[in-house]
């Protein structure tokens, strides 16, 4: 019996040694792969590309293709509240030294973006580009990025938006939110000879900008009061100094207003440089699909967030509007 136990013990020991050897071989091979991959990802070392992904693992290849082909050095992915294997899908495709996939538990965008600013600062990046899981880009994105970086440098812009933007309406009386905001209709339209606008009930009305100018060697652009995502280029220094993405607005909504208005009031302009995305079927966004956000419905915290923005900035809306107009006159006329 003792002899048999010794035989079994020897077999188990050899099996463990064999498994350990195989694991060691696989680990070393993976380390060699990662070491070689590090040389392929060296583009835009001063920029961190930040993705928010939510249960869209199927979009991974479409979204990442352009960034991997370009060899982007710094990539941060928040697979937030996912149950479809998103974190693993993105991790398998990102092999650069500064390619980081964070599996978070439904923290939403504000907290994640705030963390991305700190990571980018730690990496020595001057800017972050905020991206989403329902936008697909081709190589033209990098033409936009080069132009946006130029705007950030030449104008001292804290934020450059590539999607949409808006201006304050001096003729509108902005109202604090109450329960009516939860079901107020979101409207996009035009009125007489004025600019096109979007409005939300009696609470807010924002003018849609026009008159973009291809000035100073950059793509067509203009200064605006506010830009939204994505893509969106943000100065890391400005974000940290001005406390972008405040905790009070978590989990999401109206942080763009906060960041942009605070930038203007601290001498750092905001630029809208529109950029078209590649049309593709990537599914319905999580905001509409899971958070009951549509043209006539929104969650209760939208009330608190809108009032937070008004409490901080409504007394300065006229000044912000003057700063926007003055910048357009100075730089683009």
């Amino acid at each position: 019996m003792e002899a048999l136990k010794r035989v079994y013990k020897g077999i188990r020991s050899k099996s463990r040694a064999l498994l350990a050897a195989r694991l060691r071989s696989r680990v070393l091979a993976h380390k060699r792969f990662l070491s070689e991959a590090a040389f392929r990802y060296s583009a835009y070392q001063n920029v961190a590309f930040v993705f928010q992904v939510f249960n869209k693992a199927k979009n991974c290849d479409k979204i990442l293709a352009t960034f991997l082909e370009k060899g982007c050095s710094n990539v941060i992915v928040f697979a937030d509240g996912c149950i479809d294997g998103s974190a693993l899908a993105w991790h398998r495709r990102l092999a650069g030294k500064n390619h980081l996939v964070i599996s978070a538990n439904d923290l939403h965008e504000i907290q994640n973006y705030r963390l991305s600013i700190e990571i980018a600062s730690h990496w020595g990046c001057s800017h972050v580009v905020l991206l989403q899981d329902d936008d697909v880009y081709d190589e033209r994105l990098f033409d936009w990025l080069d132009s946006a970086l130029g705007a950030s440098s030449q104008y001292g812009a804290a934020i450059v938006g590539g999607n949409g933007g808006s201006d304050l309406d001096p003729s509108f009386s902005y109202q604090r939110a109450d329960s009516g905001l939860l079901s107020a209709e979101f409207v996009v339209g035009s009125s007489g000879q004025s600019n096109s606008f979007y409005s939300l009930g009696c609470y807010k009305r924002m003018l849609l900008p026009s008159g973009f100018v291809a000035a100073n060697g950059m793509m067509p652009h203009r200064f605006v009061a506010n830009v939204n995502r994505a893509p969106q280029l943000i100065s890391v220094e400005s974000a940290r100094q001005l406390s972008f993405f405040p905790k009070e607005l978590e989990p999401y909504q109206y942080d763009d207003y906060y960041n942009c208005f605070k930038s203007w009031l601290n001498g750092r302009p905001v630029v809208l440089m529109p950029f078209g995305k590649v049309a593709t079927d990537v599914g319905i966004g999580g905001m509409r699909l899971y958070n009951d956000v549509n043209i006539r419905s929104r969650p209760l915290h939208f009330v608190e967030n809108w009032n937070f923005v008004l409490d901080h900035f409504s007394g300065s809306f006229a000044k912000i509007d003057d700063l926007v107009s003055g910048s357009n006159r100075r730089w683009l006329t």
Side-chain angles (χ1 to χ4, degrees):
M1 181 62 70
E2 290 300 323
L4 188 58
K5 287 182 179 179
R6 287 195 296 271
V7 170
Y8 284 146
K9 184 177 181 180
I11 292 174
R12 287 197 300 270
S13 178
K14 290 180 180 179
S15 297
R16 286 195 296 268
L18 181 60
L19 290 173
R22 288 176 178 173
L23 178 60
R24 181 176 184 276
S25 177
R26 291 173 58 197
V27 169
L28 291 176
H30 185 59
K31 288 173 69 69
R32 286 193 297 271
F33 165 75
L34 294 178
S35 179
E36 294 168 359
F39 293 99
R40 297 201 301 269
Y41 301 107
S42 58
Y44 291 99
Q45 296 186 24
N46 63 327
V47 176
F49 298 87
V50 182
F51 296 86
Q52 297 264 14
V53 303
F54 182 69
N55 292 307
K56 286 193 176 67
K58 65 182 179 63
N59 293 350
C60 180
D61 288 330
K62 289 180 183 179
I63 294 170
L64 273 181
T66 298
F67 299 91
L68 296 180
E69 182 177 348
K70 189 68 175 180
C72 295
S73 177
N74 309 298
V75 177
I76 304 169
V77 177
F78 291 95
D80 190 15
C82 299
I83 61 171
D84 68 340
S86 287
L88 181 58
W90 287 73
H91 180 71
R92 283 174 171 169
R93 291 159 178 80
L94 290 166
K97 182 178 180 181
N98 281 0
H99 289 179
L100 178 63
V101 179
I102 299 174
S103 181
N105 292 322
D106 211 24
L107 300 179
H108 282 280
E109 56 195 36
I110 290 179
Q111 186 171 162
N112 292 336
Y113 281 143
R114 191 170 61 244
L115 176 57
S116 75
I117 296 294
E118 295 305 312
I119 295 172
S121 176
H122 174 73
W123 285 345
C125 296
S126 61
H127 292 80
V128 295
V129 177
L130 306 184
L131 302 153
Q132 300 174 139
D133 65 358
D134 52 2
D135 297 326
V136 177
Y137 302 98
D138 58 22
E139 66 280 355
R140 293 174 300 148
L141 173 71
F142 300 103
D143 295 331
W144 174 85
L145 177 55
D146 292 338
S147 195
L149 287 168
S152 182
S153 175
Q154 184 154 347
Y155 305 139
I159 306 172
V160 181
N163 185 27
S166 58
D167 286 319
L168 293 158
D169 185 347
S171 68
F172 186 78
S173 178
Y174 290 84
Q175 301 295 316
R176 286 181 59 81
D178 53 25
S179 60
L181 181 138
L182 304 181
S183 58
E185 183 177 7
F186 181 85
V187 175
V188 179
S190 59
S191 176
Q193 300 299 315
S194 67
N195 288 340
S196 297
F197 66 89
Y198 68 82
S199 63
L200 183 60
C202 64
Y203 306 100
K204 68 173 177 176
R205 175 184 166 105
M206 305 294 290
L207 303 179
L208 299 178
S210 59
F212 296 90
V213 179
N216 302 314
M218 302 171 204
M219 295 172 62
H221 61 282
R222 59 158 292 173
F223 297 90
V224 294
N226 169 74
V227 294
N228 51 45
R229 297 185 286 271
Q232 190 178 89
L233 179 76
I234 292 183
S235 158
V236 170
E237 179 184 21
S238 295
R240 299 186 79 212
Q241 290 183 354
L242 302 181
S243 300
F244 286 0
F245 304 105
K247 290 183 178 181
E248 290 86 350
L249 294 179
E250 293 177 7
Y252 61 90
Q253 199 64 16
Y254 300 140
D255 50 292
D256 284 332
Y257 290 126
Y258 181 93
N259 297 344
C260 292
F261 294 163
K262 193 162 188 182
S263 295
W264 277 113
L265 293 175
N266 283 273
R268 305 181 195 192
V270 175
V271 173
L272 176 58
M273 187 178 289
F275 173 75
K277 302 163 187 177
V278 177
T280 185
D281 181 15
V282 292
I284 301 173
M287 184 80 78
R288 286 178 292 158
L289 191 59
Y290 301 106
N291 294 319
D292 194 29
V293 177
N294 56 58
I295 62 172
R296 293 185 180 86
S297 176
R298 50 205 60 87
L300 180 60
H301 74 267
F302 278 40
V303 172
E304 298 173 354
N305 285 15
W306 178 243
N307 289 338
F308 181 84
V309 170
L310 285 188
D311 289 344
H312 279 75
F313 302 110
S314 62
S316 301
F317 278 178
K319 180 178 180 180
I320 293 171
D321 191 53
D322 287 343
L323 289 169
V324 173
S325 300
S327 294
N328 280 311
R329 287 193 301 270
R330 175 188 177 191
W331 292 102
L332 302 180
T333 58

